[in-house]
Amino acid sequence: MTTRTDEFEELRPLLFSIAYRILGSVTEAEDAVQEAWLRFQAYPGEPAETKAFLSAVVTRISIDVLRSARVRRETYVGRWFPEPLLSDPYEDPARAAELADSLSTAALLLLERLSPLERAVFVLREVFAFDFPTIADAVERSEAACRQLAVRARRHMDEGRPRFAADRAERAELADRFFEAFRDGDVDSLRDLLAADAQLVGDSGGKAPLWGDGVFGAAKVARTLAALTAPFARIGGVVERHEVNGQPGAIFRDRAGKVVNTWTLDIADGRIQTIRAVLNPDKLGHVGPVADAWAVVRETNRARSGGDPQG
């Protein structure tokens, strides 16, 4: 006999994936899913359709959380990036392209431009292909209103997307060359792989060292990257290749294996457009034990100047 626990656990990956795309936060998405479970437990009757019921519940919770989160993000120190997600628990071969595209850091940042309702409608319709009656129930609006929200959201998203995005194979090949050049500290090769207006930007939330507002232009970014490699390796740092938000990326770890930051590469038009680093320790705990980034920088600077990196 199928229990409510069985039904919920079967749908948990979908519920998390909906919540994460609405919220851009792993921890908040997990909390939203847990709250949905509590409401499901307390629900006195039997839903007509469990998937639609739970999707609606987690969507409403996520909209409420997003509204308060947006207020906090207005006072956030520096750039705000979504929390890095190493793997999406939900899979649907028929929606693979939409799922992957909507998970990228660039797409999640575009979603930040939408109102909470627009964002929820876009995610349910464009990413997960829910029908409008189900979406209308989830966001508690009429079908006509949801259709209008979907049109506006799609227009805003289309306006911000790169015209010539790379396919998966092209991204992987370019990322291989990039990380090889990065490992070797090869300024010329790095510069050749970067777009002319490439940028290296980060989200520290004021809680980790950062390169000011960012590093801009292929030449400057290439020099900055090349300067990082040798001293970081000298102190035992490891660059672990890993897909992050469905895009080529890496996890930087100190000698103890603790997470220093994560990177994602935004690739389009055959070049790396943006390298985004998440350094805020509050956003890295789900990836693994978090390093003291300030201590890593001090150690790296000693290694760069020729001193004892552990001294």
Side-chain angles (χ1 to χ4, degrees), residues 139-170:
V139 302
E140 301 176 304
R141 295 292 188 276
S142 69
E143 287 185 42
C146 289
R147 290 179 187 278
Q148 291 178 340
L149 287 165
V151 168
R152 288 204 301 267
R154 192 182 304 116
R155 183 173 63 247
H156 288 311
M157 294 295 289
D158 288 344
E159 287 171 354
R161 284 195 176 103
R163 290 182 59 197
F164 304 106
D167 64 26
R168 193 175 188 87
E170 182 185 352

Side-chain angles (χ1 to χ4, degrees), residues 40-167:
F40 187 38
Q41 277 188 309
Y43 189 68
E46 287 298 325
E49 209 280 305
T50 304
K51 176 182 175 181
F53 173 83
L54 285 172
S55 298
V57 170
V58 84
T59 296
R60 291 174 198 150
I61 293 168
S62 298
I63 289 171
D64 289 342
V65 172
L66 181 59
R67 284 173 173 147
S68 60
R70 286 168 78 99
V71 174
R72 294 194 303 274
R73 290 172 194 174
E74 288 175 1
T75 59
Y76 191 81
V77 177
R79 296 172 185 266
W80 181 93
F81 293 160
E83 289 183 9
L85 183 65
L86 301 189
S87 62
D88 186 359
Y90 179 71
E91 296 182 359
D92 179 358
R95 306 291 298 171
E98 293 84 354
L99 289 168
D101 181 60
S102 66
L103 197 62
S104 72
T105 303
L108 290 169
L109 289 173
L110 284 176
L111 284 170
E112 284 291 305
R113 302 179 184 180
L114 307 181
S115 71
L117 277 177
E118 287 174 340
R119 185 165 181 164
V121 169
F122 182 87
V123 167
L124 293 176
R125 181 63 181 172
E126 299 296 327
V127 181
F128 295 99
F130 281 86
D131 60 34
F132 278 108
T134 302
I135 295 170
D137 179 64
V139 302
E140 301 176 304
R141 295 292 188 276
S142 69
E143 287 185 42
C146 289
R147 290 179 187 278
Q148 291 178 340
L149 287 165
V151 168
R152 288 204 301 267
R154 192 182 304 116
R155 183 173 63 247
H156 288 311
M157 294 295 289
D158 288 344
E159 287 171 354
R161 284 195 176 103
R163 290 182 59 197
F164 304 106
D167 64 26

Side-chain angles (χ1 to χ4, degrees), residues 146-297:
C146 289
R147 290 179 187 278
Q148 291 178 340
L149 287 165
V151 168
R152 288 204 301 267
R154 192 182 304 116
R155 183 173 63 247
H156 288 311
M157 294 295 289
D158 288 344
E159 287 171 354
R161 284 195 176 103
R163 290 182 59 197
F164 304 106
D167 64 26
R168 193 175 188 87
E170 182 185 352
R171 289 200 308 264
E173 190 272 336
L174 192 59
D176 286 343
R177 291 161 57 198
F178 170 82
F179 280 108
E180 181 179 354
F182 178 65
R183 182 196 63 209
D184 296 339
D186 186 339
V187 175
D188 291 337
S189 293
L190 285 168
R191 186 176 57 245
D192 290 343
L193 295 169
L194 296 167
D197 57 351
Q199 50 184 312
L200 170 63
V201 289
D203 170 355
S204 72
K207 299 181 179 183
L210 193 60
W211 325 271
D213 291 332
V215 182
F216 304 94
K220 290 183 179 179
V221 172
R223 289 196 299 269
T224 300
L225 294 174
L228 292 172
T229 306
F232 187 66
R234 190 179 172 196
I235 67 169
V238 174
V239 181
E240 177 185 309
R241 286 286 304 279
H242 204 295
E243 274 205 351
V244 181
N245 287 86
Q247 305 295 307
I251 304 168
F252 284 63
R253 300 184 185 273
D254 68 7
R255 70 164 61 86
K258 293 183 177 181
V259 179
V260 180
N261 60 55
T262 63
W263 280 13
T264 56
L265 308 183
D266 189 4
I267 297 171
D269 298 341
R271 292 287 186 274
I272 295 167
Q273 308 287 330
T274 306
I275 302 164
R276 294 187 177 91
V278 175
L279 305 100
N280 186 339
D282 296 343
K283 296 185 174 184
L284 298 171
H286 63 282
V287 179
V290 180
D292 180 345
W294 296 102
V296 170
V297 167

Side-chain angles (χ1 to χ4, degrees), residues 1-7 10:
M1 179 180 175
T2 302
T3 66
R4 280 199 173 183
T5 301
D6 295 332
E7 288 182 297
E10 183 178 350

